[in-house]
Amino acid sequence: MPSLRLLSLSVCVAAALIAGCKQETPAPAADANANGAAATVAANADWQPAIDAFVAGYFERYPTAAANAGKHEYDGKLPDWSPQGLAATGTWLKEQRAKIAGFGDDKLDAQQRFQREYALSVIDGQLFYLEDSGFPNKNPAFYAGDLSPSMYLTRPYAPLPQRMNAFVAYQEALPKAAEQIRANLKGPLPASYIEFGNIVFGGLAQFFKDDAPKAFAEVPDTALQARFKASNAKAIEAMQGLSDWLSAQKPQATQDYAIGAERFAKMLKATERVELPLDQLKAIGEADLARNLAALKAACDQYAPGQALGACIEKVNADKPQGGAVQGARDQLVGLRKFLVDKDLVSIPGTEEARVEEAPPFNRTNFAYIEIPGPYEKNLPSVYYIAPPDPSWPKAEQDAYVPGKADLLFTSAHEVWPGHFLQSLHANRSQWTFAQLFVGYAYAEGWAHYTEEMMFDAGVDGATPEIHIGQLSNALLRDVRFLSAIGLHTGGMTVAQSEQMFKDKAFQDPGNARQQAARGTYDPGYLNYTLGKLMIMQLREDWTASRGGRSAWKAFHDQFLSYGGPPVPLVRAQMMGGPAETRLWQAPAAPASAAADAAPAPAPGTESGGG
């Protein structure tokens, strides 16, 4: 579970697109990282070869990431998850860290010093999840991303027979991988980890049984089909066996999911370069939740006077997109892109577009995600996938699953214009390949979430109360994730308390509330949506204050996006010319009446059902 992810298929993170006109990653406005060294130090010719060697070594140890980036010589390979393999990777990362840190300030120019801190943050994030988190021995999510076969099925990077050959190699590698995962996981395991593992491993087994044969049925190569059949049977057995083993752990399941305050703080520092006391972070999150709840009440007072907030949101969600969610999103992308151009909010490099399609059967656990080919791919489409409701559900549940137009609008903004897809277009124009490859959790999700509120503030779709409610629904979900991550891992919050908060403060239905609360136990980093957004909002306010305020938004957005995807505090140092400090935007205090209406849920343990 890396904190800095290679740009590849992800439910949460975007990818870099086709390389086009290159734009050099800008040097800092002031020499923020020199620590007194002369800003005129010449570029070190040894620096880039050291980074190239790191990337090459990284691909060897994380072959799935390499293949997703477009290095298809790594197709079908999986990481070595044996204890010896994991230990060797940890040793290599520490050696690389020492080598890169050894380039002192007096040996690098200003831009290289920034690049050094960017590279060190990638290594520190990998080391945290590998060694400090304890996840290799407890958390199936550590392995889940590398097991996804989506690239071979949905990305047309090669003719189908070639992709089938890669898929067969992947299936052939699965039994060994499953054996390693099984040996690494040490019980007793948290109940939510077991459930997640069952969804992933059992879901893969079902996919291999039901869907994979159909995907390659038309390939006429009989020898390849025979290999497929043999490897498919073993892959089903391996994944089902892993799922069955996890199921057998349920009687001993625990609620011991918290990584603890010390490790949580270390995670934030290692992965995002965020250093703030956890009580201060929690207070900022509570204030943002209160801000958004107060805004929701004001919008609902206009849109549905006299109705409770939940009923108001239901009314908004009843206004469905014409033709369904896929067609609705297609229409929305046209309007969103035009709005960006008409309002001149951010540059759109290139002419690439994202298609909208129905999600394939094997990847419908999330309503929406975007697949963007890696930076080494050429001329491949990006696809914004939307999952249909399960046809086995009752008609009422199927209808409820399709979001309202206002909610869908901000999902489309988050995924495409001007969220993940646009961010990838900018990242891929970086002259530094490293910045195309590595994009941080808080940078990517923070940017995508930031754009939702930015688009509303800029007047998208008339910024009506209905549109505002759609934006706020997404913001409240991320606020509760932020508070749940802190509460579950550092404050004694139970899963039930988190689930109740998602119902009461984010107005989630019971199924989504359960899913969101469970995710917080195995993905403590999901606070990064709001964390990244609030850091970007504060940076925008500080940077534009001396550059014309709102009229400088486009310049701010373009410069922010030019860095690739480092921790936001490093971007702050580049843009503001000061230290790489953590500053989060905070709204002015709400009026007393609004604050009372919008008070966050009680702290865990203070009230039955609170949190």
Side-chain angles (χ1 to χ4, degrees):
M1 179 185 280
S3 58
L4 278 277
R5 304 170 180 188
L6 275 173
L7 291 173
S8 60
L9 171 65
S10 171
V11 170
C12 303
V13 181
L17 252 190
I18 306 161
C21 301
K22 297 290 185 179
Q23 173 181 315
E24 184 176 82
T25 303
D31 189 13
N33 297 320
N35 296 327
T40 56
V41 172
N44 189 325
D46 295 331
W47 169 248
Q48 190 55 46
I51 289 297
D52 292 342
F54 169 78
V55 171
Y58 188 94
F59 284 166
E60 288 295 326
R61 290 158 180 83
Y62 297 91
T64 310
N68 267 307
K71 289 286 189 180
H72 291 295
E73 60 268 36
Y74 291 95
D75 279 4
K77 298 180 180 179
L78 293 173
D80 180 0
W81 287 319
S82 68
Q84 298 80 7
L86 293 176
T89 296
T91 298
W92 176 81
L93 285 168
K94 291 171 187 172
E95 291 170 349
Q96 290 296 305
R97 194 190 197 288
K99 180 178 180 180
I100 289 171
F103 285 88
D105 289 349
D106 59 336
K107 298 178 182 178
L108 301 174
D109 67 15
Q111 182 167 295
Q112 290 173 333
R113 287 192 283 276
F114 161 69
Q115 292 174 347
R116 176 193 61 199
E117 298 310 307
Y118 191 166
L120 289 175
S121 73
V122 170
I123 295 172
D124 288 347
Q126 295 289 351
L127 280 170
F128 173 81
Y129 283 113
L130 181 64
E131 296 190 345
D132 298 307
S133 69
F135 285 174
N137 297 123
K138 289 287 184 184
N139 194 345
F142 181 83
Y143 305 99
D146 285 306
L147 293 176
S148 172
S150 184
M151 169 179 54
Y152 308 120
L153 296 135
T154 61
R155 189 186 303 177
Y157 66 86
L160 189 62
Q162 181 179 331
R163 289 187 284 127
M164 180 181 182
N165 188 68
F167 184 84
V168 168
Y170 153 80
Q171 285 191 141
E172 291 170 341
L174 281 172
K176 181 178 179 180
E179 181 181 337
Q180 292 174 342
I181 294 168
R182 162 65 186 85
N184 288 344
L185 295 175
K186 310 295 185 186
L189 300 175
S192 58
Y193 289 17
I194 293 172
E195 182 178 1
F196 176 77
N198 277 328
I199 291 171
V200 172
F201 304 134
L204 280 169
Q206 197 67 39
F207 162 71
F208 294 140
K209 180 181 178 182
D210 296 340
D211 298 307
K214 300 173 188 175
F216 301 108
E218 66 185 67
V219 176
D221 187 329
T222 54
L224 185 57
Q225 288 288 358
R227 272 185 66 204
F228 173 87
K229 185 176 181 180
S231 62
N232 182 254
K234 291 180 179 178
I236 294 169
E237 182 182 6
M239 290 296 101
Q240 191 60 54
L242 197 49
S243 180
D244 291 344
W245 177 82
L246 281 171
S247 294
Q249 309 309 303
K250 288 181 180 180
Q252 292 79 42
T254 72
Q255 295 298 320
D256 186 21
Y257 48 76
I259 64 174
E262 182 177 347
R263 282 196 289 182
F264 194 88
K266 187 169 186 177
M267 174 188 75
L268 293 176
K269 180 179 180 180
T271 63
E272 304 298 344
R273 294 302 190 252
V274 166
E275 296 185 78
L276 281 180
L278 294 180
D279 58 349
Q280 185 176 340
L281 274 178
K282 180 183 176 185
I284 292 171
E286 289 173 338
D288 201 59
L289 175 63
R291 172 181 78 98
N292 286 318
L293 283 168
L296 178 65
K297 184 177 187 304
C300 284
D301 284 346
Q302 296 181 63
Y303 180 72
Q307 293 191 23
L309 295 184
C312 169
I313 290 176
E314 287 181 6
K315 181 179 177 182
V316 169
N317 286 335
D319 185 9
K320 304 293 185 183
Q322 187 172 359
V326 170
Q327 185 58 50
R330 288 172 180 158
D331 296 338
Q332 287 175 344
L333 293 190
V334 175
L336 286 168
R337 191 184 191 283
K338 184 177 187 299
F339 182 80
L340 289 176
V341 173
D342 290 348
K343 292 289 187 178
D344 202 24
L345 290 170
V346 61
S347 295
I348 301 177
T351 59
E352 298 93 332
E353 300 281 350
R355 301 202 313 250
V356 187
E357 302 289 350
E358 185 175 284
F362 65 88
N363 204 0
R364 292 179 176 175
T365 55
N366 289 276
F367 170 72
Y369 65 95
I370 189 165
E371 169 146 16
I372 307 178
Y376 296 107
E377 304 282 21
K378 302 297 177 185
N379 301 316
L380 294 182
S382 295
V383 184
Y384 165 26
Y385 285 109
I386 294 177
D390 190 324
S392 68
W393 293 349
K395 177 74 163 55
E397 290 188 17
Q398 292 188 50
D399 291 343
Y401 183 81
V402 178
K405 289 188 293 188
D407 190 353
L408 182 64
L409 179 68
F410 292 99
T411 302
S412 297
H414 183 105
E415 299 296 343
V416 184
W417 300 120
H420 290 315
F421 179 68
L422 179 62
Q423 185 265 320
S424 74
L425 297 182
H426 279 266
N428 202 63
R429 265 69 182 180
S430 173
Q431 184 177 347
W432 198 37
T433 303
F434 189 96
Q436 299 177 25
L437 291 167
F438 294 96
V439 174
Y441 200 165
Y443 186 99
E445 294 300 349
W447 167 260
H449 186 37
Y450 158 83
T451 66
E452 299 164 22
E453 185 163 347
M454 182 273 292
M455 291 288 277
F456 173 77
D457 289 342
V460 70
D461 265 21
T464 63
E466 180 179 359
I467 292 298
H468 200 187
I469 293 163
Q471 180 259 314
L472 290 166
S473 296
N474 285 276
L476 289 167
L477 172 66
R478 277 51 174 267
D479 279 331
V480 177
R481 285 179 182 171
F482 183 98
L483 293 172
S484 287
I486 296 171
L488 288 165
H489 290 280
T490 75
M493 179 184 283
T494 67
V495 175
Q497 287 172 323
S498 171
E499 185 179 327
Q500 194 64 44
M501 188 189 288
F502 278 108
K503 293 176 184 176
D504 294 345
K505 302 300 179 181
F507 306 97
Q508 296 294 300
D509 63 85
N512 272 315
R514 284 194 302 272
Q515 185 184 56
Q516 292 292 330
R519 177 180 170 184
T521 66
Y522 55 78
D523 179 15
Y526 82 159
L527 87 164
N528 280 316
Y529 292 78
T530 293
L531 179 64
K533 170 187 174 177
L534 295 181
M535 287 193 289
I536 294 168
M537 288 178 70
Q538 185 61 52
L539 176 56
R540 184 189 71 191
E541 295 306 297
D542 294 341
W543 192 86
T544 60
S546 61
R547 294 171 174 82
R550 190 160 180 154
S551 66
W553 277 17
K554 180 182 182 181
F556 169 77
H557 293 150
D558 286 354
Q559 185 159 343
F560 180 84
L561 291 172
S562 71
Y563 294 99
V568 178
L570 297 187
V571 179
R572 181 178 183 86
Q574 297 301 101
M575 295 184 69
M576 298 301 297
E581 62 181 343
T582 303
R583 293 196 62 198
L584 275 65
W585 184 82
Q586 298 181 69
S593 59
D597 290 331
T606 61
E607 182 178 316
S608 178

